[in-house]
Amino acid sequence: MIRVTIYNEFVHEKEERIAKVYPDGIHGAIKQKLSEKGDYEIRIATLEMPEHGLTQEVLDNTDVLIWWGHVAHNKVADEVVDRIQKRVLEGMGMVFLHSGHESKIFKRLMGTTCALKWRENDEKERIWVVEPGHPIARNLPEYIELPMEETSGERFDIPAPDTLVFISWFEGGEVFRSGCCYHRGLGKIFYFRPGHEEYPTFYRDDIAQVIHNAVEWAAPVITTKPTMGHFMALEQVKDKFAGQDDAMRTHAYIKD
Amino acid sequence: MIRVTIYNEFVHEKEERIAKVYPDGIHGAIKQKLSEKGDYEIRIATLEMPEHGLTQEVLDNTDVLIWWGHVAHNKVADEVVDRIQKRVLEGMGMVFLHSGHESKIFKRLMGTTCALKWRENDEKERIWVVEPGHPIARNLPEYIELPMEETSGERFDIPAPDTLVFISWFEGGEVFRSGCCYHRGLGKIFYFRPGHEEYPTFYRDDIAQVIHNAVEWAAPVITTKPTMGHFMALEQVKDKFAGQDDAMRTHAYIKD
Amino acid sequence: MIRVTIYNEFVHEKEERIAKVYPDGIHGAIKQKLSEKGDYEIRIATLEMPEHGLTQEVLDNTDVLIWWGHVAHNKVADEVVDRIQKRVLEGMGMVFLHSGHESKIFKRLMGTTCALKWRENDEKERIWVVEPGHPIARNLPEYIELPMEETSGERFDIPAPDTLVFISWFEGGEVFRSGCCYHRGLGKIFYFRPGHEEYPTFYRDDIAQVIHNAVEWAAPVITTKPTMGHFMALEQVKDKFAGQDDAMRTHAYIKD
Amino acid sequence: MIRVTIYNEFVHEKEERIAKVYPDGIHGAIKQKLSEKGDYEIRIATLEMPEHGLTQEVLDNTDVLIWWGHVAHNKVADEVVDRIQKRVLEGMGMVFLHSGHESKIFKRLMGTTCALKWRENDEKERIWVVEPGHPIARNLPEYIELPMEETSGERFDIPAPDTLVFISWFEGGEVFRSGCCYHRGLGKIFYFRPGHEEYPTFYRDDIAQVIHNAVEWAAPVITTKPTMGHFMALEQVKDKFAGQDDAMRTHAYIKD
């Protein structure tokens, strides 16, 4: 059984206006819908918990970490970010949702600013599947239409994804690479664009299907952890300078 | 004319043994050979210079930064690393040589440990061109054979390159992705494996050809810097809730 | 249950020398070992069967087609090649083994010559895992060592794989991209290098693990088949020339 | 000087309605604008010429072949298609424009149907630059806005591009990967979406800039043509069975 931890900064939902949309928090909605899709062991982590709920023990027992954050990215402790990065590189999967693109950990894993264009304008978003044979497109229609969402626009400053699964169309005139797969270390990362706190996006069945697919895809592969550092030769190597001094190396080299 | 800055930590060459191989420093050899290949404006930067020779002004006037470092990666100041990363994302090219894979700035741009297997064993390296139509393969033979080099082996913990140009074979039994291209922000990055300080690798003509090709490829493209942040709609967007209260949003959404 | 069809041209095994290595045919060995790894519905197809055993009905009931061929590529009927290509683009997975790189269907799907260097020389091959987080690396060691195999060498004239999972080292001095993943249409394709008929490679457990992993990875994703061809607008489009003649189009355009 | 051949099927322009838009043919417009951007040696080829103007001699003297075709794809002789494919794999660049996605040669090089959604509806297209550091984005604005174009929509059945440079937004609700780079053999291929015959798209300066950039990018790299086929070992290989019979091979292998 895949062990999922849902991190939600859980700040917006303390406003009444947002609490009406997500009475159990964004994490509550994700958990509820994900549980309908598969049999997962799900933990919740929020910013205000000790170590944001992301202790070493929790991470060691997490196969896939889902991340929703927005206004409080900078309140996430650097040592927790270090710890998460290490776990991803060791194989833990991550699914970043919406404004998670600006989290410290996403920027750390990408190496870029991860900046983009945005506005809040009640615009229609249509998420087109461009790689329908990919496991994250499983059981999806040709496109997902969201009646209103926050808008994100290119240029999205990310490394080109290993696989681009979705591209979004926005009513106001923009496009966006909205479903992006990456391998980093032994871990797999999926970025999925929608999920602004003012809209009940995470209660949608199609969105839950994407998150479910992404969790299945990102779950770690059991494999041999590669050896790093000093390593003995597997084949016999000719001793080129037996009994000679070091200067011979340069000499031999330059002759070549 | 492309403006190149060569950063060399310039530590090993203070030992007599290494100074015999690189009497003008590794940077001196790279500069000499690169100058034979093309008409460049070349600056030198070393660890011991103020700000390691990589002031904002130098970076602002650098099109491509070449990086050789090994034992002193951790002596490079974090603020210089920040500055370089920012310039790469704005368009400056970088060419990382050999142990540069473990520099702070390379790890920062990659998001991974960039660890690998290694040994110093005077082994033959044969660098095979696997993407001969790529500009970094220009004027190269099918493979470059180095009579002796430090050995690097897979698993190399990097993101899969956007383009893989070279793969190395080693006498002791390993393979290595030894020529790796990346886009990061507006900048282009090339990692090239060979160049251990004990061998006169940088005096070779074939190696100089690769560095020359890489500099030409990595030089910035003059283009429009993308707008980031809040952005007005380019198309008229339907006002879906004129005169209605916020609750209607959720209602409308869920109906969908 | 994944439905696998194993195509083997089944020519070499008619020689006594090869029959000693593969008394049940190469397909027999693959079938036996794959059955030990998972619960599959397995069919066999060979060149000499009517339509090479690859009728429309067989393909319609195949999730993943494994392909071994060598000396008789040109005896495969073009209409069967057409039929396979169509099924791959509709979602059927394919796993190409060894000399399958020169089959009509592989070349058709790649668009290139798929040529390479080769020799038969009893050389050691060491297959390094370079993307250990990929599902095709599941339950594998860091490398697989084959005491003797036919040698393949770069340049391998293929499109750069979507994901490169393995790189081989050969005793005679070559490297080779030996585990290559592709999406083509809705289908997924994996090329895996080893498997010369003179060696009992397909009886090895590690090789069987790779083929098992590849079959699981290549099995089709259930998704919506995209609509192709003429398509009505999903959004209302402004009628820019109501009541005007066609010449206005050009006029309006050029003004822009 | 880069030698460019522009192939235009030159059928639509024989209608008066289209001739008003392109009085010198689509090829004439491309030639005129490309000549303003750089110093090229330009040849024209059309369907009705002997061998469609694409003799072996012409191809041998072409660095980059630009392709515009639409209604007459099937009139292009297969032997000419074979000849072009061979030249691309040997290093000739190609730039495919608009409906060129359905040409025999593009489908041959891609291995897929290259089908898409389409309609002719006078819609606005906005071409967003998603990889602004790429040479094909040189001297371009953040986006190119075309007041009216034929619409193309995803799913576009192509292999994922090696580099995706542009994504288009359409007024009617679709998105499209409209600038796609590929390496095939030693050749480089760029697909660029716009250019319906009813609009004077090819007279635009921004579109000419893209074609100019693409030609520069796709021009062949002078490199060593890889050796293919039988190849002698570069390293001494241990003779494992001197004086033993063939059965020992299998025996040795299985022991492993």
Side-chain angles (χ1 to χ4, degrees):
Chain A
M1 185 160 38
I2 296 173
R3 300 162 303 169
V4 175
T5 298
I6 302 170
Y7 170 81
N8 175 20
E9 63 177 30
F10 198 32
V11 172
H12 287 294
E13 301 96 318
K14 310 252 161 103
E15 290 177 66
E16 194 187 326
R17 193 172 64 92
I18 304 301
K20 280 185 186 162
V21 184
Y22 286 112
D24 304 314
I26 285 172
H27 53 278
I30 295 170
K31 179 178 177 175
Q32 174 194 319
K33 293 297 294 183
L34 190 57
S35 301
E36 291 171 21
K37 292 285 176 186
D39 200 16
Y40 298 110
E41 181 186 318
I42 302 180
R43 277 185 191 75
I44 299 298
T46 66
L47 183 69
E48 65 196 349
M49 291 180 182
E51 304 182 46
H52 320 313
L54 299 168
T55 60
Q56 189 63 55
E57 198 200 333
V58 166
L59 293 180
D60 286 345
N61 289 286
T62 297
D63 294 313
V64 181
L65 174 59
I66 297 176
W67 193 276
W68 198 101
H70 181 206
V71 289
H73 288 319
N74 287 328
K75 294 191 176 155
V76 176
D78 286 338
E79 67 180 71
V80 174
V81 176
D82 293 344
R83 190 188 288 164
I84 299 170
Q85 181 184 22
K86 190 162 176 293
R87 267 291 288 146
V88 169
L89 301 182
E90 289 169 1
M92 183 179 74
M94 281 196 80
V95 178
F96 288 91
L97 298 170
H98 193 58
S99 302
H101 73 93
E102 284 218 307
S103 61
K104 288 180 181 179
I105 177 62
F106 189 65
K107 290 191 288 188
R108 180 79 71 83
L109 288 161
M110 296 292 111
T112 58
T113 65
C114 303
L116 45 72
K117 293 182 175 63
W118 64 272
R119 66 184 164 266
E120 301 181 3
N121 197 29
D122 285 346
E123 291 178 25
K124 186 187 290 185
E125 174 176 11
R126 188 175 291 111
I127 303 171
W128 288 94
V129 177
V130 298
E131 204 60 85
H134 193 274
I136 295 183
R138 188 164 45 109
N139 282 331
L140 294 181
E142 269 205 274
Y143 58 84
I144 295 173
E145 196 173 302
L146 303 177
M148 282 165 289
E149 255 292 346
E150 183 175 350
T151 299
S152 307
E154 295 282 347
R155 155 69 172 177
F156 183 19
D157 181 24
I158 48 170
D162 294 338
T163 311
L164 177 62
V165 184
F166 305 127
I167 298 176
S168 286
W169 176 97
F170 288 96
E171 198 178 347
E174 283 81 14
V175 296
F176 197 76
R177 287 171 290 173
S178 53
C180 300
C181 298
Y182 297 93
H183 282 259
R184 286 294 179 272
L186 301 191
K188 290 193 283 300
I189 297 167
F190 185 64
Y191 173 77
F192 187 45
R193 201 214 70 88
H196 182 60
E197 68 276 2
E198 293 183 280
Y199 311 109
T201 301
F202 293 117
Y203 284 111
R204 291 180 64 104
D205 200 65
D206 43 18
I207 297 298
Q209 182 69 40
V210 173
I211 297 173
H212 165 58
N213 291 345
V215 165
E216 299 282 327
W217 171 82
V221 165
I222 305 309
T223 189
T224 304
K225 196 177 163 182
T227 311
M228 295 297 183
H230 193 266
F231 192 76
M232 300 301 288
L234 297 164
E235 302 293 322
Q236 195 174 356
V237 173
K238 195 167 64 166
D239 184 352
K240 300 172 183 73
F241 306 104
Q244 299 182 344
D245 70 16
D246 235 33
M248 287 305 295
R249 282 179 167 180
T250 302
H251 186 68
Y253 203 97
I254 285 174
K255 267 197 317 183
D256 200 78
Chain B
M1 186 161 37
I2 296 175
R3 300 163 303 169
V4 175
T5 298
I6 302 171
Y7 170 81
N8 175 20
E9 63 178 30
F10 197 33
V11 173
H12 288 294
E13 300 96 317
K14 311 251 162 104
E15 291 177 65
E16 194 187 326
R17 193 172 64 91
I18 305 300
K20 280 186 188 161
V21 185
Y22 288 111
D24 303 315
I26 286 173
H27 53 280
I30 295 170
K31 180 178 176 176
Q32 174 194 318
K33 294 297 294 184
L34 190 56
S35 302
E36 292 171 20
K37 292 285 176 186
D39 199 17
Y40 298 110
E41 181 186 317
I42 302 182
R43 275 186 190 76
I44 299 298
T46 66
L47 183 68
E48 65 196 350
M49 290 180 182
E51 305 183 46
H52 319 313
L54 299 167
T55 60
Q56 189 63 53
E57 199 199 333
V58 166
L59 293 179
D60 286 346
N61 289 286
T62 297
D63 294 314
V64 181
L65 175 59
I66 297 177
W67 193 275
W68 197 101
H70 181 206
V71 289
H73 289 319
N74 287 329
K75 293 191 177 156
V76 176
D78 286 337
E79 66 181 72
V80 174
V81 176
D82 293 345
R83 193 188 286 164
I84 300 171
Q85 181 183 21
K86 190 162 177 293
R87 268 291 287 144
V88 169
L89 300 182
E90 288 168 2
M92 183 180 74
M94 281 196 79
V95 177
F96 288 92
L97 298 170
H98 194 58
S99 301
H101 74 92
E102 283 218 308
S103 62
K104 287 180 181 179
I105 178 61
F106 190 66
K107 291 190 286 187
R108 180 80 70 84
L109 289 162
M110 296 293 110
T112 59
T113 66
C114 303
L116 46 70
K117 292 183 176 62
W118 64 273
R119 68 181 163 267
E120 299 180 6
N121 197 30
D122 285 344
E123 291 178 25
K124 185 187 290 186
E125 174 176 12
R126 187 176 291 112
I127 303 172
W128 288 94
V129 177
V130 298
E131 203 61 84
H134 193 275
I136 295 182
R138 191 164 42 109
N139 281 332
L140 294 181
E142 270 205 273
Y143 58 84
I144 295 173
E145 197 172 301
L146 303 178
M148 282 166 288
E149 255 292 346
E150 182 176 347
T151 300
S152 307
E154 295 281 348
R155 155 66 174 181
F156 184 18
D157 181 25
I158 48 169
D162 294 340
T163 310
L164 177 61
V165 183
F166 304 128
I167 298 176
S168 285
W169 175 98
F170 288 96
E171 198 179 347
E174 283 81 14
V175 296
F176 197 75
R177 289 171 289 174
S178 53
C180 300
C181 299
Y182 297 94
H183 282 260
R184 287 295 180 269
L186 301 192
K188 290 194 280 301
I189 297 166
F190 185 64
Y191 173 76
F192 187 44
R193 199 212 73 86
H196 182 60
E197 67 276 3
E198 294 183 280
Y199 311 109
T201 302
F202 293 117
Y203 284 110
R204 292 179 64 102
D205 200 65
D206 44 17
I207 297 298
Q209 182 70 39
V210 173
I211 296 173
H212 166 58
N213 291 344
V215 165
E216 299 282 327
W217 171 82
V221 165
I222 305 309
T223 189
T224 304
K225 196 177 162 181
T227 311
M228 293 297 184
H230 193 266
F231 192 76
M232 299 301 290
L234 296 163
E235 302 294 321
Q236 195 175 356
V237 173
K238 195 167 66 168
D239 183 351
K240 300 171 183 75
F241 306 104
Q244 297 182 348
D245 71 14
D246 234 35
M248 286 306 294
R249 284 177 166 183
T250 303
H251 186 66
Y253 203 99
I254 285 173
K255 266 198 317 183
D256 200 78
Chain C
M1 184 159 39
I2 297 173
R3 299 163 303 169
V4 175
T5 298
I6 303 170
Y7 170 82
N8 176 18
E9 63 178 30
F10 198 33
V11 173
H12 287 295
E13 301 96 318
K14 310 250 163 105
E15 291 176 64
E16 194 186 326
R17 193 172 65 91
I18 306 301
K20 279 185 187 161
V21 184
Y22 287 112
D24 304 314
I26 286 173
H27 54 279
I30 296 170
K31 179 178 178 177
Q32 174 193 321
K33 293 297 293 184
L34 190 58
S35 301
E36 292 171 20
K37 292 285 176 187
D39 200 16
Y40 298 111
E41 181 186 317
I42 303 180
R43 274 186 192 75
I44 299 298
T46 66
L47 183 69
E48 64 196 350
M49 291 181 182
E51 305 182 45
H52 320 313
L54 299 168
T55 60
Q56 189 63 53
E57 199 199 332
V58 166
L59 292 179
D60 286 345
N61 289 287
T62 297
D63 294 313
V64 181
L65 175 59
I66 297 176
W67 193 276
W68 198 100
H70 182 206
V71 289
H73 288 320
N74 287 329
K75 294 192 178 155
V76 176
D78 286 338
E79 65 180 73
V80 174
V81 175
D82 293 345
R83 191 188 288 164
I84 300 170
Q85 181 183 22
K86 190 162 177 291
R87 268 292 287 146
V88 169
L89 300 181
E90 288 169 0
M92 182 179 75
M94 281 195 79
V95 177
F96 288 91
L97 298 170
H98 194 58
S99 302
H101 74 91
E102 284 218 308
S103 61
K104 288 180 181 180
I105 178 62
F106 189 65
K107 291 191 287 187
R108 180 82 69 85
L109 288 161
M110 296 292 110
T112 58
T113 65
C114 303
L116 45 71
K117 292 182 176 62
W118 65 273
R119 67 182 164 266
E120 300 181 4
N121 197 31
D122 286 344
E123 292 179 25
K124 186 188 289 187
E125 174 176 13
R126 189 175 289 111
I127 304 171
W128 288 94
V129 176
V130 298
E131 203 61 85
H134 193 275
I136 294 182
R138 190 163 44 109
N139 281 331
L140 294 182
E142 270 205 273
Y143 58 84
I144 295 173
E145 197 172 301
L146 304 179
M148 282 166 289
E149 256 291 347
E150 183 176 350
T151 300
S152 307
E154 296 280 349
R155 159 65 173 183
F156 184 18
D157 180 24
I158 48 169
D162 295 339
T163 310
L164 177 62
V165 184
F166 305 127
I167 298 176
S168 285
W169 176 97
F170 288 95
E171 198 178 349
E174 283 81 14
V175 297
F176 197 75
R177 288 171 290 173
S178 54
C180 299
C181 298
Y182 297 93
H183 282 259
R184 285 296 179 268
L186 301 191
K188 291 194 280 303
I189 297 166
F190 185 64
Y191 173 76
F192 187 44
R193 200 214 71 87
H196 182 61
E197 69 275 3
E198 293 183 280
Y199 312 109
T201 302
F202 294 117
Y203 284 109
R204 291 179 65 103
D205 199 66
D206 43 18
I207 296 298
Q209 181 70 39
V210 173
I211 296 173
H212 165 60
N213 291 344
V215 165
E216 300 281 327
W217 171 81
V221 165
I222 304 310
T223 190
T224 303
K225 195 177 163 184
T227 312
M228 294 297 183
H230 193 265
F231 192 75
M232 300 301 289
L234 296 163
E235 302 294 321
Q236 195 174 355
V237 173
K238 195 167 65 166
D239 182 352
K240 298 169 184 77
F241 306 104
Q244 298 182 346
D245 69 16
D246 235 33
M248 288 305 294
R249 283 178 165 182
T250 302
H251 186 66
Y253 203 97
I254 285 174
K255 267 198 317 183
D256 199 76
Chain D
M1 185 159 40
I2 297 174
R3 300 163 302 169
V4 175
T5 299
I6 302 171
Y7 170 80
N8 175 20
E9 63 178 28
F10 198 32
V11 173
H12 288 294
E13 299 96 318
K14 311 248 162 107
E15 291 176 64
E16 194 187 328
R17 195 173 63 92
I18 305 302
K20 280 183 185 162
V21 184
Y22 286 111
D24 303 315
I26 286 173
H27 54 280
I30 295 170
K31 180 178 176 176
Q32 174 193 320
K33 294 297 294 183
L34 190 57
S35 301
E36 292 172 21
K37 292 285 175 186
D39 200 17
Y40 298 111
E41 181 186 318
I42 302 181
R43 275 186 192 76
I44 299 298
T46 66
L47 182 68
E48 63 197 350
M49 291 180 182
E51 304 183 47
H52 319 313
L54 300 167
T55 60
Q56 189 63 52
E57 199 200 333
V58 166
L59 293 179
D60 286 346
N61 289 287
T62 297
D63 294 313
V64 182
L65 174 59
I66 298 177
W67 193 276
W68 197 102
H70 181 206
V71 289
H73 289 320
N74 287 328
K75 293 190 178 157
V76 176
D78 286 338
E79 67 181 71
V80 174
V81 175
D82 294 345
R83 191 188 289 164
I84 300 171
Q85 181 183 23
K86 190 161 176 294
R87 268 291 288 145
V88 169
L89 301 181
E90 288 168 2
M92 183 180 73
M94 282 196 78
V95 177
F96 288 92
L97 298 169
H98 194 58
S99 301
H101 74 91
E102 284 218 309
S103 61
K104 288 180 182 178
I105 177 63
F106 190 65
K107 291 190 287 189
R108 180 81 70 84
L109 288 161
M110 296 293 111
T112 59
T113 66
C114 303
L116 45 71
K117 292 183 176 62
W118 65 273
R119 67 182 164 267
E120 300 180 6
N121 197 31
D122 285 345
E123 291 179 25
K124 185 187 290 185
E125 174 176 12
R126 188 175 290 111
I127 303 172
W128 288 93
V129 176
V130 299
E131 203 62 82
H134 193 275
I136 295 182
R138 190 163 44 109
N139 281 332
L140 294 181
E142 270 206 274
Y143 58 84
I144 295 173
E145 197 172 301
L146 304 177
M148 284 166 289
E149 255 291 348
E150 182 176 348
T151 300
S152 306
E154 296 280 348
R155 158 63 173 180
F156 183 19
D157 181 26
I158 48 170
D162 293 340
T163 310
L164 177 62
V165 183
F166 305 128
I167 298 175
S168 286
W169 176 97
F170 288 95
E171 198 178 349
E174 283 81 14
V175 296
F176 196 76
R177 288 171 291 173
S178 52
C180 299
C181 298
Y182 297 93
H183 283 259
R184 286 295 179 272
L186 301 192
K188 291 195 280 302
I189 298 166
F190 185 63
Y191 173 77
F192 186 44
R193 199 215 72 87
H196 182 61
E197 69 275 3
E198 294 183 280
Y199 312 109
T201 301
F202 293 116
Y203 284 110
R204 290 180 65 104
D205 200 66
D206 43 18
I207 296 299
Q209 182 69 41
V210 173
I211 296 172
H212 166 58
N213 292 344
V215 165
E216 299 281 328
W217 171 82
V221 165
I222 304 309
T223 190
T224 304
K225 196 177 162 182
T227 311
M228 295 296 183
H230 193 265
F231 192 76
M232 299 303 288
L234 296 163
E235 302 293 322
Q236 194 175 356
V237 172
K238 195 166 66 167
D239 183 351
K240 299 170 184 76
F241 305 105
Q244 297 182 347
D245 70 15
D246 235 34
M248 286 307 293
R249 284 177 164 184
T250 303
H251 185 66
Y253 203 98
I254 284 173
K255 265 199 318 183
D256 201 78

